[in-house]
Amino acid sequence: MLFLTTIWLSLEPNAHRHLSPSSGLFDWKTFLTFVYLLFYAFAVLFIGISFYNLSAKRLRARQLPTGLAGAVPLAALFSGSAHWLQPRVAEVLSGWYVVGIDSLLVGAIVWTALELGFREPLDVEAK
């Protein structure tokens, strides 16, 4: 995900194109930027779905509600949305709102890492 996001951040300036009499009707760099954006969006959704499925499987094995598996992907999507929206409506949405959503994302990541990565697995056969 970080690799794909780095590519998008390097291509993103090509997405802003001004139409002027001196510019042509079609710009290949802009077109290819938006083609990458389309594949990037599908990759983000696919990675989120894959993360959810893997986490739900681990949570089910730990006998916890599988709905908790969506905490990190949902918080990551909200965080990305807040980072995108805040500069566009800064007079309505303060920067502290973005910091709050980012702290929720960090909390979800830490909880998921501790719960699914470091806690001892349940011994189901002993019950």
Side-chain angles (χ1 to χ4, degrees), residues 69-84:
V72 172
L74 185 64
L77 290 173
F78 280 158
S79 176
S81 298
H83 279 274
W84 177 84

Side-chain angles (χ1 to χ4, degrees), residues 1-17 28-44 47 80-81 83-85 88:
M1 185 72 175
L2 291 174
F3 178 71
L4 295 174
T5 303
T6 303
I7 293 172
W8 168 245
L9 290 175
S10 68
L11 291 177
E12 196 261 337
N14 294 331
H16 303 289
R17 182 169 174 260
W28 278 102
K29 287 186 349 184
T30 304
F31 176 74
L32 293 175
T33 298
F34 282 105
V35 168
Y36 178 79
L37 181 60
L38 178 69
F39 287 113
Y40 175 72
F42 282 122
V44 167
I47 290 169
S81 298
H83 279 274
W84 177 84
L85 182 64
R88 288 159 176 78

Side-chain angles (χ1 to χ4, degrees), residues 13-29:
N14 294 331
H16 303 289
R17 182 169 174 260
H18 298 286
L19 294 177
S20 64
S22 62
S23 67
L25 181 62
F26 188 77
D27 184 18
W28 278 102
K29 287 186 349 184

